[in-house]
Amino acid sequence: AQKVTQAQTEISVVEKEDVTLDCVYETRDTTYYLFWYKQPPSGELVFLIRRNSFDEQNEISGRYSWNFQKSTSSFNFTITASQVVDSAVYFCALKGTGGFKTIFGAGTRLFVKA
Amino acid sequence: SAVISQKPSRDICQRGTSLTIQCQVDSQVTMMFWYRQQPGQSLTLIATANQGSEATYESGFVIDKFPISRPNLTFSTLTVSNMSPEDSSIYLCSVEEGQTYNEQFFGPGTRLTVL
């Protein structure tokens, strides 16, 4: 069975702080894909990143960075120098190759205070 | 990435009525997905809709309650039938893209409130 766990329900930080959102996953597939999505208060889901299971390189995009560790089944997301506009719910998701279904974690609500 | 639009963006409906949500994509896609997001919750897949075949429903969702149409490769509808307040949710349409069809993009969602 596949599962995504985002243990942090809510995180509150002050602007300019760094924050890491945790994601732990379970799958029996040897090839799989991991995703992060952002859902701002307006409700739309914004695709942030996709990671293949065979590519463990960490990625940086501006203030965003992702740390993929296959050994611990984790795919954590760090926002550096957070801003108020980063306030949103962030979802980690997993898709195996055994089917078409993408499994979403429960989400982490991030509050960034000015 | 594909541009996905949904209509209506939001609606307030009375118990016992039905609402049809439309999803339009600006390119042809093989698979379309319908998700439900209840207030404060994560996304739950309702069904997968392929053109030319019946939708495949996930456990806990049935065709009588959530009939889906997929008349062509750019359009799909989801109907929420005989609504109750428990159906109040955001309903999201989604498509897959990318070389290996593993990048999943979402429409803006339809925010439904049932009184």
Side-chain angles (χ1 to χ4, degrees):
Chain A
Q2 299 190 94
K3 188 177 176 183
V4 176
T5 301
Q6 294 180 256
Q8 304 150 308
T9 307
E10 287 187 2
I11 301 175
S12 185
V13 299
V14 177
E15 218 173 10
K16 297 184 185 174
E17 282 185 21
D18 298 347
V19 59
T20 295
L21 310 181
D22 297 334
C23 174
V24 174
Y25 62 92
E26 294 175 30
T27 180
R28 291 182 184 168
D29 290 342
T30 52
T31 300
Y32 51 89
Y33 302 87
L34 295 162
F35 307 85
W36 276 96
Y37 290 87
K38 174 182 179 181
Q39 188 176 42
S42 55
E44 79 274 20
L45 271 169
V46 179
F47 170 83
L48 294 178
I49 189 172
R50 179 193 75 173
R51 212 15 143 215
N52 306 328
S53 56
F54 44 85
D55 180 3
E56 287 194 68
Q57 268 194 326
N58 291 328
E59 182 153 340
I60 297 174
S61 176
R63 296 185 296 108
Y64 295 170
S65 61
W66 291 270
N67 183 358
F68 177 29
Q69 301 245 345
K70 223 170 173 178
S71 59
T72 56
S73 297
S74 65
F75 185 42
N76 296 338
F77 173 30
T78 297
I79 301 174
T80 303
S82 59
Q83 300 176 0
V84 173
V85 294
D86 295 327
S87 297
V89 180
Y90 290 87
F91 291 98
C92 180
L94 163 71
K95 180 172 180 177
T97 50
F100 302 111
K101 189 173 171 178
T102 301
I103 306 295
F104 285 81
T108 296
R109 185 177 295 274
L110 174 65
F111 294 98
V112 181
K113 302 175 193 173
Chain B
S1 62
V3 176
I4 306 169
S5 59
Q6 285 185 235
K7 287 182 184 178
S9 58
R10 58 177 63 226
D11 208 341
I12 301 173
C13 300
Q14 295 297 320
R15 182 197 296 261
T17 62
S18 298
L19 176 72
T20 295
I21 302 168
Q22 298 179 8
C23 177
Q24 180 76 51
V25 188
D26 69 344
S27 58
Q28 294 185 340
V29 293
T30 303
M31 298 176 70
M32 295 177 79
F33 306 87
W34 287 98
Y35 285 82
R36 181 176 74 181
Q37 187 180 22
Q38 294 176 303
Q41 303 295 312
S42 185
L43 282 76
T44 302
L45 181 63
I46 298 171
T48 303
N50 291 339
Q51 192 265 336
S53 61
E54 283 206 5
T56 304
Y57 288 83
E58 296 296 308
S59 175
F61 297 97
V62 294
I63 189 170
D64 289 347
K65 176 67 176 176
F66 297 102
I68 288 171
S69 79
R70 184 77 202 275
N72 57 53
L73 291 174
T74 63
F75 187 79
S76 178
T77 66
L78 168 76
T79 299
V80 186
S81 303
N82 188 25
M83 289 184 283
S84 67
E86 292 71 35
D87 294 320
S88 298
S89 297
I90 299 174
Y91 292 86
L92 296 126
C93 171
S94 174
V95 303
E96 283 189 333
E97 276 201 335
Q99 279 190 328
T100 54
Y101 299 96
N102 281 304
E103 294 186 13
Q104 197 163 353
F105 296 92
F106 288 82
T110 296
R111 195 178 293 265
L112 172 61
T113 302
V114 184
L115 303 177

